[in-house]
Amino acid sequence: DVKVTQSSRYLVKRTGEKVFLECVQDMDHENMFWYRQDPGLGLRLIYFSYDVKMKEKGDIPEGYSVSREKKERFSLILESASTNQTSMYLCASGYYEQFFGPGTRLTVL
Amino acid sequence: GENVEQHPSTLSVQEGDSAVIKCTYSDSASNYFPWYKQELGKRPQLIIDIRSNVGEKKDQRIAVTLNKTAKHFSLHITETQPEDSAVYFCAASKMYVEYGNKLVFGAGTILRVKS
């Protein structure tokens, strides 16, 4: 079974804090993705990586950056968290089918 | 870039009835169209997908149809059951050799099956 795990299910941070969300997959996938999920907006792609050395901006990259130091690990970084970044964050990996992690519900106060 | 619109946003059906969810896409270069199901509190999971060289695909009670000319595709669920209650997302993508899919998702449809 493909397993995609995320470091936290729930996270509460303060405005201005630096936030790290981590994702690990065990299927040797080259491709990994970060989405945010908001009611009525579906899943929107923040960043993706199709190689350890390659990272690409998605549709809503502003306020985020990513790190991929190892093939199995893809981290999303909120440089200075803001209240409008309160959301559910989903990591995924895969080439055709994308396998999702359980999500991290981030609240920024 | 690609834009995907999904309708309806909510759908209530009686158990045993059929449910249809429709999506339209804007980029004629898109050639891969998956559907994901997300049960309450769980992660999205792929339930069926279709590529642009195929007009219809079935898997037991679910089917997807694609009209490339009109740039729309639909999910059909027959004989609905309470366990079909979930949020359904359509998506569209052009397949890239380097990295597979860069999916653009619709806003989602909340399906409620009443027993």
Side-chain angles (χ1 to χ4, degrees), chain A residues 17-38:
Chain A
E17 280 192 79
K18 191 168 186 176
V19 182
F20 293 86
L21 304 181
E22 293 192 328
C23 175
V24 178
Q25 51 95 3
D26 66 357
M27 281 300 292
D28 203 35
H29 288 151
E30 297 284 351
N31 309 322
M32 296 188 74
F33 307 84
W34 275 106
Y35 295 91
R36 65 177 280 177
Q37 181 176 13
D38 300 288

PDB file of all heavy atoms in Angstrom, chain A residues 17-38:
ATOM      1  N   GLU A  17       4.758  33.711  12.500  1.00  0.00           N
ATOM      2  CA  GLU A  17       5.625  32.569  12.772  1.00  0.00           C
ATOM      3  C   GLU A  17       6.019  31.891  11.466  1.00  0.00           C
ATOM      4  O   GLU A  17       5.290  31.912  10.480  1.00  0.00           O
ATOM      5  CB  GLU A  17       4.905  31.541  13.651  1.00  0.00           C
ATOM      6  CG  GLU A  17       4.882  31.887  15.120  1.00  0.00           C
ATOM      7  CD  GLU A  17       4.432  30.698  15.957  1.00  0.00           C
ATOM      8  OE1 GLU A  17       5.253  29.795  16.197  1.00  0.00           O
ATOM      9  OE2 GLU A  17       3.264  30.685  16.371  1.00  0.00           O
ATOM     10  N   LYS A  18       7.163  31.222  11.493  1.00  0.00           N
ATOM     11  CA  LYS A  18       7.588  30.396  10.367  1.00  0.00           C
ATOM     12  C   LYS A  18       7.053  28.993  10.632  1.00  0.00           C
ATOM     13  O   LYS A  18       7.222  28.448  11.725  1.00  0.00           O
ATOM     14  CB  LYS A  18       9.101  30.385  10.255  1.00  0.00           C
ATOM     15  CG  LYS A  18       9.631  29.777   8.962  1.00  0.00           C
ATOM     16  CD  LYS A  18      11.124  30.057   8.796  1.00  0.00           C
ATOM     17  CE  LYS A  18      11.640  29.584   7.444  1.00  0.00           C
ATOM     18  NZ  LYS A  18      13.053  29.936   7.213  1.00  0.00           N
ATOM     19  N   VAL A  19       6.398  28.421   9.635  1.00  0.00           N
ATOM     20  CA  VAL A  19       5.730  27.138   9.813  1.00  0.00           C
ATOM     21  C   VAL A  19       6.280  26.128   8.816  1.00  0.00           C
ATOM     22  O   VAL A  19       6.452  26.436   7.635  1.00  0.00           O
ATOM     23  CB  VAL A  19       4.208  27.282   9.604  1.00  0.00           C
ATOM     24  CG1 VAL A  19       3.509  25.942   9.834  1.00  0.00           C
ATOM     25  CG2 VAL A  19       3.637  28.345  10.534  1.00  0.00           C
ATOM     26  N   PHE A  20       6.551  24.930   9.300  1.00  0.00           N
ATOM     27  CA  PHE A  20       7.028  23.843   8.448  1.00  0.00           C
ATOM     28  C   PHE A  20       5.991  22.728   8.457  1.00  0.00           C
ATOM     29  O   PHE A  20       5.610  22.222   9.508  1.00  0.00           O
ATOM     30  CB  PHE A  20       8.354  23.280   8.974  1.00  0.00           C
ATOM     31  CG  PHE A  20       9.507  24.240   8.882  1.00  0.00           C
ATOM     32  CD1 PHE A  20       9.745  25.157   9.887  1.00  0.00           C
ATOM     33  CD2 PHE A  20      10.354  24.223   7.778  1.00  0.00           C
ATOM     34  CE1 PHE A  20      10.807  26.037   9.802  1.00  0.00           C
ATOM     35  CE2 PHE A  20      11.425  25.099   7.699  1.00  0.00           C
ATOM     36  CZ  PHE A  20      11.647  26.020   8.706  1.00  0.00           C
ATOM     37  N   LEU A  21       5.555  22.334   7.275  1.00  0.00           N
ATOM     38  CA  LEU A  21       4.687  21.163   7.133  1.00  0.00           C
ATOM     39  C   LEU A  21       5.473  20.117   6.358  1.00  0.00           C
ATOM     40  O   LEU A  21       5.983  20.402   5.275  1.00  0.00           O
ATOM     41  CB  LEU A  21       3.404  21.521   6.380  1.00  0.00           C
ATOM     42  CG  LEU A  21       2.560  22.657   6.960  1.00  0.00           C
ATOM     43  CD1 LEU A  21       1.306  22.864   6.108  1.00  0.00           C
ATOM     44  CD2 LEU A  21       2.176  22.379   8.397  1.00  0.00           C
ATOM     45  N   GLU A  22       5.547  18.916   6.935  1.00  0.00           N
ATOM     46  CA  GLU A  22       6.361  17.890   6.301  1.00  0.00           C
ATOM     47  C   GLU A  22       5.512  16.756   5.757  1.00  0.00           C
ATOM     48  O   GLU A  22       4.487  16.379   6.330  1.00  0.00           O
ATOM     49  CB  GLU A  22       7.384  17.349   7.291  1.00  0.00           C
ATOM     50  CG  GLU A  22       8.434  18.383   7.674  1.00  0.00           C
ATOM     51  CD  GLU A  22       9.592  17.775   8.419  1.00  0.00           C
ATOM     52  OE1 GLU A  22       9.373  16.797   9.156  1.00  0.00           O
ATOM     53  OE2 GLU A  22      10.718  18.279   8.275  1.00  0.00           O
ATOM     54  N   CYS A  23       5.969  16.195   4.662  1.00  0.00           N
ATOM     55  CA  CYS A  23       5.284  15.096   4.001  1.00  0.00           C
ATOM     56  C   CYS A  23       6.310  14.039   3.616  1.00  0.00           C
ATOM     57  O   CYS A  23       7.379  14.377   3.085  1.00  0.00           O
ATOM     58  CB  CYS A  23       4.578  15.619   2.760  1.00  0.00           C
ATOM     59  SG  CYS A  23       3.799  14.356   1.736  1.00  0.00           S
ATOM     60  N   VAL A  24       5.973  12.776   3.877  1.00  0.00           N
ATOM     61  CA  VAL A  24       6.860  11.673   3.540  1.00  0.00           C
ATOM     62  C   VAL A  24       6.062  10.609   2.804  1.00  0.00           C
ATOM     63  O   VAL A  24       4.954  10.262   3.211  1.00  0.00           O
ATOM     64  CB  VAL A  24       7.492  11.060   4.801  1.00  0.00           C
ATOM     65  CG1 VAL A  24       8.373   9.864   4.438  1.00  0.00           C
ATOM     66  CG2 VAL A  24       8.319  12.101   5.553  1.00  0.00           C
ATOM     67  N   GLN A  25       6.633  10.105   1.697  1.00  0.00           N
ATOM     68  CA  GLN A  25       5.991   9.006   0.959  1.00  0.00           C
ATOM     69  C   GLN A  25       6.971   7.844   0.845  1.00  0.00           C
ATOM     70  O   GLN A  25       8.181   8.049   0.774  1.00  0.00           O
ATOM     71  CB  GLN A  25       5.499   9.471  -0.414  1.00  0.00           C
ATOM     72  CG  GLN A  25       6.527  10.201  -1.262  1.00  0.00           C
ATOM     73  CD  GLN A  25       7.272   9.337  -2.254  1.00  0.00           C
ATOM     74  OE1 GLN A  25       7.005   8.132  -2.399  1.00  0.00           O
ATOM     75  NE2 GLN A  25       8.206   9.946  -2.953  1.00  0.00           N
ATOM     76  N   ASP A  26       6.404   6.631   0.809  1.00  0.00           N
ATOM     77  CA  ASP A  26       7.256   5.446   0.846  1.00  0.00           C
ATOM     78  C   ASP A  26       7.207   4.645  -0.451  1.00  0.00           C
ATOM     79  O   ASP A  26       7.565   3.468  -0.468  1.00  0.00           O
ATOM     80  CB  ASP A  26       6.880   4.565   2.032  1.00  0.00           C
ATOM     81  CG  ASP A  26       5.480   3.953   1.899  1.00  0.00           C
ATOM     82  OD1 ASP A  26       4.776   4.271   0.910  1.00  0.00           O
ATOM     83  OD2 ASP A  26       5.092   3.195   2.793  1.00  0.00           O
ATOM     84  N   MET A  27       6.733   5.277  -1.550  1.00  0.00           N
ATOM     85  CA  MET A  27       6.583   4.528  -2.799  1.00  0.00           C
ATOM     86  C   MET A  27       7.612   4.919  -3.846  1.00  0.00           C
ATOM     87  O   MET A  27       7.450   4.607  -5.016  1.00  0.00           O
ATOM     88  CB  MET A  27       5.174   4.737  -3.363  1.00  0.00           C
ATOM     89  CG  MET A  27       4.145   3.884  -2.668  1.00  0.00           C
ATOM     90  SD  MET A  27       4.497   2.101  -2.805  1.00  0.00           S
ATOM     91  CE  MET A  27       4.224   1.851  -4.561  1.00  0.00           C
ATOM     92  N   ASP A  28       8.641   5.599  -3.455  1.00  0.00           N
ATOM     93  CA  ASP A  28       9.709   5.956  -4.391  1.00  0.00           C
ATOM     94  C   ASP A  28       9.207   6.822  -5.546  1.00  0.00           C
ATOM     95  O   ASP A  28       9.737   6.775  -6.655  1.00  0.00           O
ATOM     96  CB  ASP A  28      10.386   4.680  -4.935  1.00  0.00           C
ATOM     97  CG  ASP A  28      11.795   4.953  -5.427  1.00  0.00           C
ATOM     98  OD1 ASP A  28      12.485   5.802  -4.829  1.00  0.00           O
ATOM     99  OD2 ASP A  28      12.206   4.328  -6.431  1.00  0.00           O
ATOM    100  N   HIS A  29       8.160   7.616  -5.294  1.00  0.00           N
ATOM    101  CA  HIS A  29       7.632   8.496  -6.339  1.00  0.00           C
ATOM    102  C   HIS A  29       8.560   9.670  -6.573  1.00  0.00           C
ATOM    103  O   HIS A  29       9.075  10.277  -5.636  1.00  0.00           O
ATOM    104  CB  HIS A  29       6.248   9.022  -5.941  1.00  0.00           C
ATOM    105  CG  HIS A  29       5.167   7.991  -6.009  1.00  0.00           C
ATOM    106  ND1 HIS A  29       4.053   8.030  -5.203  1.00  0.00           N
ATOM    107  CD2 HIS A  29       5.016   6.905  -6.800  1.00  0.00           C
ATOM    108  CE1 HIS A  29       3.268   7.015  -5.491  1.00  0.00           C
ATOM    109  NE2 HIS A  29       3.842   6.304  -6.458  1.00  0.00           N
ATOM    110  N   GLU A  30       8.738   9.993  -7.850  1.00  0.00           N
ATOM    111  CA  GLU A  30       9.507  11.189  -8.192  1.00  0.00           C
ATOM    112  C   GLU A  30       8.699  12.447  -7.887  1.00  0.00           C
ATOM    113  O   GLU A  30       9.234  13.466  -7.491  1.00  0.00           O
ATOM    114  CB  GLU A  30       9.866  11.184  -9.679  1.00  0.00           C
ATOM    115  CG  GLU A  30      10.759  10.028 -10.118  1.00  0.00           C
ATOM    116  CD  GLU A  30      12.206  10.225  -9.706  1.00  0.00           C
ATOM    117  OE1 GLU A  30      12.566  11.315  -9.228  1.00  0.00           O
ATOM    118  OE2 GLU A  30      12.996   9.260  -9.847  1.00  0.00           O
ATOM    119  N   ASN A  31       7.392  12.364  -8.153  1.00  0.00           N
ATOM    120  CA  ASN A  31       6.551  13.558  -8.116  1.00  0.00           C
ATOM    121  C   ASN A  31       5.852  13.714  -6.780  1.00  0.00           C
ATOM    122  O   ASN A  31       5.239  12.779  -6.282  1.00  0.00           O
ATOM    123  CB  ASN A  31       5.478  13.479  -9.212  1.00  0.00           C
ATOM    124  CG  ASN A  31       6.078  13.153 -10.552  1.00  0.00           C
ATOM    125  OD1 ASN A  31       7.153  13.618 -10.886  1.00  0.00           O
ATOM    126  ND2 ASN A  31       5.385  12.335 -11.320  1.00  0.00           N
ATOM    127  N   MET A  32       5.926  14.917  -6.234  1.00  0.00           N
ATOM    128  CA  MET A  32       5.211  15.228  -4.999  1.00  0.00           C
ATOM    129  C   MET A  32       4.573  16.601  -5.125  1.00  0.00           C
ATOM    130  O   MET A  32       5.078  17.468  -5.843  1.00  0.00           O
ATOM    131  CB  MET A  32       6.160  15.165  -3.797  1.00  0.00           C
ATOM    132  CG  MET A  32       6.727  13.767  -3.551  1.00  0.00           C
ATOM    133  SD  MET A  32       7.657  13.602  -2.032  1.00  0.00           S
ATOM    134  CE  MET A  32       6.343  13.610  -0.804  1.00  0.00           C
ATOM    135  N   PHE A  33       3.468  16.775  -4.413  1.00  0.00           N
ATOM    136  CA  PHE A  33       2.636  17.966  -4.581  1.00  0.00           C
ATOM    137  C   PHE A  33       2.162  18.478  -3.212  1.00  0.00           C
ATOM    138  O   PHE A  33       1.934  17.685  -2.295  1.00  0.00           O
ATOM    139  CB  PHE A  33       1.391  17.623  -5.411  1.00  0.00           C
ATOM    140  CG  PHE A  33       1.681  16.958  -6.725  1.00  0.00           C
ATOM    141  CD1 PHE A  33       1.881  15.581  -6.797  1.00  0.00           C
ATOM    142  CD2 PHE A  33       1.732  17.689  -7.895  1.00  0.00           C
ATOM    143  CE1 PHE A  33       2.145  14.955  -8.012  1.00  0.00           C
ATOM    144  CE2 PHE A  33       1.991  17.079  -9.111  1.00  0.00           C
ATOM    145  CZ  PHE A  33       2.199  15.714  -9.173  1.00  0.00           C
ATOM    146  N   TRP A  34       1.968  19.777  -3.118  1.00  0.00           N
ATOM    147  CA  TRP A  34       1.295  20.395  -1.983  1.00  0.00           C
ATOM    148  C   TRP A  34       0.075  21.155  -2.476  1.00  0.00           C
ATOM    149  O   TRP A  34       0.172  21.980  -3.395  1.00  0.00           O
ATOM    150  CB  TRP A  34       2.203  21.364  -1.232  1.00  0.00           C
ATOM    151  CG  TRP A  34       3.062  20.699  -0.201  1.00  0.00           C
ATOM    152  CD1 TRP A  34       4.390  20.445  -0.268  1.00  0.00           C
ATOM    153  CD2 TRP A  34       2.628  20.215   1.082  1.00  0.00           C
ATOM    154  NE1 TRP A  34       4.818  19.831   0.876  1.00  0.00           N
ATOM    155  CE2 TRP A  34       3.762  19.674   1.727  1.00  0.00           C
ATOM    156  CE3 TRP A  34       1.396  20.181   1.740  1.00  0.00           C
ATOM    157  CZ2 TRP A  34       3.691  19.110   2.989  1.00  0.00           C
ATOM    158  CZ3 TRP A  34       1.342  19.628   2.996  1.00  0.00           C
ATOM    159  CH2 TRP A  34       2.482  19.095   3.615  1.00  0.00           C
ATOM    160  N   TYR A  35      -1.074  20.860  -1.837  1.00  0.00           N
ATOM    161  CA  TYR A  35      -2.328  21.541  -2.136  1.00  0.00           C
ATOM    162  C   TYR A  35      -2.857  22.179  -0.854  1.00  0.00           C
ATOM    163  O   TYR A  35      -2.578  21.718   0.249  1.00  0.00           O
ATOM    164  CB  TYR A  35      -3.388  20.540  -2.600  1.00  0.00           C
ATOM    165  CG  TYR A  35      -3.112  19.839  -3.901  1.00  0.00           C
ATOM    166  CD1 TYR A  35      -2.440  18.616  -3.934  1.00  0.00           C
ATOM    167  CD2 TYR A  35      -3.556  20.371  -5.107  1.00  0.00           C
ATOM    168  CE1 TYR A  35      -2.201  17.959  -5.125  1.00  0.00           C
ATOM    169  CE2 TYR A  35      -3.329  19.710  -6.305  1.00  0.00           C
ATOM    170  CZ  TYR A  35      -2.654  18.511  -6.305  1.00  0.00           C
ATOM    171  OH  TYR A  35      -2.429  17.865  -7.494  1.00  0.00           O
ATOM    172  N   ARG A  36      -3.689  23.198  -1.039  1.00  0.00           N
ATOM    173  CA  ARG A  36      -4.526  23.616   0.067  1.00  0.00           C
ATOM    174  C   ARG A  36      -5.980  23.431  -0.327  1.00  0.00           C
ATOM    175  O   ARG A  36      -6.344  23.586  -1.511  1.00  0.00           O
ATOM    176  CB  ARG A  36      -4.239  25.051   0.524  1.00  0.00           C
ATOM    177  CG  ARG A  36      -4.527  26.167  -0.410  1.00  0.00           C
ATOM    178  CD  ARG A  36      -4.259  27.534   0.246  1.00  0.00           C
ATOM    179  NE  ARG A  36      -5.358  27.950   1.104  1.00  0.00           N
ATOM    180  CZ  ARG A  36      -5.351  29.065   1.838  1.00  0.00           C
ATOM    181  NH1 ARG A  36      -4.282  29.863   1.838  1.00  0.00           N
ATOM    182  NH2 ARG A  36      -6.379  29.393   2.594  1.00  0.00           N
ATOM    183  N   GLN A  37      -6.795  23.048   0.666  1.00  0.00           N
ATOM    184  CA  GLN A  37      -8.191  22.747   0.423  1.00  0.00           C
ATOM    185  C   GLN A  37      -9.040  23.694   1.237  1.00  0.00           C
ATOM    186  O   GLN A  37      -8.943  23.740   2.468  1.00  0.00           O
ATOM    187  CB  GLN A  37      -8.516  21.296   0.804  1.00  0.00           C
ATOM    188  CG  GLN A  37      -9.962  20.930   0.537  1.00  0.00           C
ATOM    189  CD  GLN A  37     -10.258  19.477   0.815  1.00  0.00           C
ATOM    190  OE1 GLN A  37      -9.474  18.753   1.423  1.00  0.00           O
ATOM    191  NE2 GLN A  37     -11.418  19.027   0.359  1.00  0.00           N
ATOM    192  N   ASP A  38      -9.878  24.458   0.556  1.00  0.00           N
ATOM    193  CA  ASP A  38     -10.785  25.386   1.198  1.00  0.00           C
ATOM    194  C   ASP A  38     -12.191  25.135   0.692  1.00  0.00           C
ATOM    195  O   ASP A  38     -12.375  24.852  -0.503  1.00  0.00           O
ATOM    196  CB  ASP A  38     -10.377  26.834   0.902  1.00  0.00           C
ATOM    197  CG  ASP A  38      -8.977  27.161   1.406  1.00  0.00           C
ATOM    198  OD1 ASP A  38      -8.822  27.265   2.623  1.00  0.00           O
ATOM    199  OD2 ASP A  38      -8.053  27.279   0.575  1.00  0.00           O
TER     200      ASP A  38
END
